[in-house]
Amino acid sequence: QRMWPHAPLGKWLLSTSALVSAMVHIGGVTRLTKSGLSMTDWKPLGSRPPVTEEEWMAEFERYQQYPEWQQRQSMGLEEFKYIYYWEWGHRMMGRFVGLVFGGGWAYFTWIHRPKISPSLSATSTITSIVPKNITSAIPPGYQSRLALLFAMGGTQGLVGWWMVRSGLGDDRRGDRSEIRVSPYRLAAHLGMAVGTYSALLWTGLGALSYPVDRYAAAANTVASSASAAGTSAPSSLLQQYTNQLAPAALRHARTTRVGVVSTVGLTGITILSGAFVAGNDAGNAYNTYPLMDGRLIPWDDMVDPDKVPKWRNLFETTATVQWNHRVLGTCTALSAVGVAGYGLLRDPASGGRRGGASTSALRAASGTTPQVRRGLMALGTAATAQMSLGIATLLTYVPINLAATHQLGSLVVLTCGVYTAHSLRYAGQSVVSKVGSGAARSLVNGSSGGGGGCG
């Protein structure tokens, strides 16, 4: 904390993102145990569960007034308690996350003040870039981000109740198929949760790296390198690092970053398609792989003539929904493995590592940092494991333990992708465009000039 004034904020944000991932996991189990419609009202501040036998009977009788009861009339009070506790726990977990975020935001805004220790070496590269007059752990511009995150969390509760209401209306009483919430609203609810998780993760990583990314580097650290290159000094250590990369290395890093960001986007779309699989209970059909009912593409089953307009088949027909998820999951895994292979095996410095080149020469020639290489290995491994887990879940007819783990695995893949993309921020356009020499200038101007001069 004494060296990195924004580290406590970053750690708190990452801890909150971990709570959100736990809430998503609990929500998945709530859906898999068919518990989501057990609570038939919603109170913004929540409420305690029933305690006495009379309170439980009153809650059970209230549940029996809604459409789902017509399909579950064999349920006893003990089974109702089981599903009620899952839904109640999911809702209260959401409120707990909101309390942790709101309380932490207030603490860092009005109470916490960073401490810069005067005993730390002023000649250290790290301590020399940190201003001594910092008065807040919240970096400039981050208050608006925190406000947006708080609004996203509050909206998530409203979206959740909007989703639940789709399964409680009287218009569902005539349903012959199992009464479930709207798959569109389920996808919106999950998408909002995943979006909030990703934003928390990215903001937390940004707070941790803020001094390196934004604070001006010490004059004695940058000026000598800039003088050797005959250019003006970059304003931060991040820009200094970009400046010293060789053109081939920076080009490799930029291509790798595009691949990682694309994989993150594919992962998000695959997660949303999984919500439609869950919302339509499509995982309990076509339980073979890679064929579906003996065919690679079950054309005859993918279009229901009764669904109007036809685009509804993409989101409501079992065969189409499951095929979409299979294809998207496969594309995500291949994309992750492909970008990991490219980033790790096509690194321009790979030959230098084998040939015993100096550390400074390797740093300039390599397009990937140790953090990026760890992230790429984790991304490729996690995506492969996630695809394997999805296949196992399908072949075993969606047992709760495997299905819940599969949903949690999607967040692991997403986390690896976000971490790797953030680690590659030195190759982002916003950084490259501010570096006026060397590899960056050659890329921005489209020329083939030499690399920068930072060693």
Side-chain angles (χ1 to χ4, degrees):
Q1 176 182 339
R2 293 176 183 270
M3 293 178 65
W4 297 98
H6 309 301
L9 178 79
K11 293 176 181 178
W12 162 69
L13 287 169
L14 294 181
S15 298
T16 307
S17 72
L19 290 176
V20 172
S21 69
M23 184 179 70
V24 171
H25 179 62
I26 293 173
V29 176
T30 300
R31 174 184 52 77
L32 289 165
T33 55
K34 301 179 182 180
S35 305
L37 298 177
S38 57
M39 293 183 68
T40 57
D41 62 352
W42 183 72
K43 299 176 182 178
L45 298 180
S47 59
R48 65 170 178 80
V51 177
T52 65
E53 197 71 13
E54 292 76 14
E55 289 177 342
W56 275 114
M57 285 305 301
E59 194 66 39
F60 192 26
E61 290 171 0
R62 184 181 299 113
Y63 167 75
Q64 293 172 4
Q65 299 172 15
Y66 288 87
E68 189 181 48
W69 170 250
Q70 70 189 26
Q71 298 179 352
R72 306 184 69 173
Q73 295 189 20
S74 61
M75 180 191 303
L77 181 60
E78 291 305 312
E79 183 180 353
F80 174 72
K81 289 181 180 180
Y82 175 78
I83 65 172
Y84 186 95
Y85 272 127
W86 272 114
E87 175 65 10
W88 181 83
H90 180 51
R91 295 189 186 191
M92 295 309 295
M93 182 66 179
R95 293 177 175 92
F96 176 71
V97 173
L99 183 63
V100 169
F101 185 88
W105 186 15
Y107 170 75
F108 285 111
T109 299
W110 291 303
I111 300 176
H112 178 84
R113 293 294 178 265
K115 298 177 181 178
I116 307 299
S117 176
S119 62
L120 292 173
S121 173
T123 61
S124 166
T125 301
I126 299 301
T127 56
S128 63
I129 67 174
V130 178
K132 302 301 186 289
N133 59 344
I134 293 178
T135 60
S136 175
I138 300 177
Y142 271 60
Q143 280 287 5
S144 59
R145 299 190 190 189
L146 298 178
L148 176 61
L149 287 167
F150 188 75
M152 291 175 70
T155 303
Q156 175 69 354
L158 296 174
V159 173
W161 175 239
W162 175 63
M163 175 192 70
V164 170
R165 286 194 61 184
S166 67
L168 297 176
D170 287 336
D171 58 320
R172 307 298 300 275
R173 291 189 182 278
D175 285 14
R176 286 177 293 179
S177 58
E178 181 182 326
I179 293 177
R180 295 185 292 267
V181 298
S182 163
Y184 299 97
R185 299 189 187 188
L186 175 61
H189 187 50
L190 179 60
M192 176 69 77
V194 171
T196 303
Y197 171 77
S198 302
L200 281 166
L201 183 60
W202 185 268
T203 307
L205 292 172
L208 288 175
S209 63
Y210 191 88
V212 170
D213 295 356
R214 298 297 182 88
Y215 291 141
N220 61 350
T221 305
V222 181
S224 59
S225 300
S227 176
T231 63
S232 59
S235 62
S236 70
L237 289 177
L238 184 69
Q239 293 173 15
Q240 180 185 355
Y241 179 81
T242 301
N243 185 65
Q244 59 89 45
L245 290 176
L250 185 54
R251 190 177 299 110
H252 173 263
R254 286 168 67 83
T255 303
T256 302
R257 188 174 191 272
V258 170
V260 171
V261 171
S262 299
T263 302
V264 171
L266 263 176
T267 302
I269 295 173
T270 305
I271 291 173
L272 290 179
S273 75
F276 284 99
V277 171
N280 291 281
D281 202 22
N284 285 310
Y286 306 100
N287 299 95
T288 57
Y289 189 88
L291 302 181
M292 298 175 65
D293 197 18
R295 295 164 291 176
L296 192 61
I297 305 177
W299 292 109
D300 297 340
D301 301 337
M302 295 181 74
V303 179
D304 183 348
D306 295 331
K307 293 192 185 300
V308 179
K310 295 298 183 184
W311 60 260
R312 289 176 54 195
N313 286 280
L314 291 171
F315 306 103
E316 299 178 28
T317 300
T318 297
T320 307
V321 167
Q322 191 189 119
W323 188 84
N324 289 343
H325 191 58
R326 288 185 182 213
V327 171
L328 285 169
T330 302
C331 289
T332 300
L334 292 176
S335 176
V337 172
V339 73
Y342 176 83
L344 295 170
L345 303 179
R346 294 292 299 275
D347 192 332
S350 57
R353 292 193 186 96
R354 292 190 296 268
S358 67
T359 302
S360 60
L362 284 177
R363 188 183 303 120
S366 177
T368 57
T369 64
Q371 292 86 351
V372 172
R373 290 191 286 275
R374 286 195 295 268
L376 288 172
M377 286 188 287
L379 178 60
T381 302
T384 303
Q386 172 69 352
M387 181 177 174
S388 302
L389 185 57
I391 295 172
T393 303
L394 176 71
L395 296 179
T396 53
Y397 291 83
V398 198
I400 291 178
N401 58 342
L402 280 182
T405 306
H406 182 54
Q407 177 174 281
L408 193 60
S410 67
L411 290 184
V412 174
V413 177
L414 185 67
T415 302
C416 294
V418 171
Y419 170 81
T420 309
H422 188 269
S423 298
L424 280 160
R425 65 194 181 282
Y426 59 86
Q429 183 62 31
S430 62
V431 176
V432 172
S433 62
K434 294 177 181 178
V435 179
S437 66
R441 184 170 60 184
S442 72
L443 287 181
V444 172
N445 296 334
S447 65
S448 56
C454 290

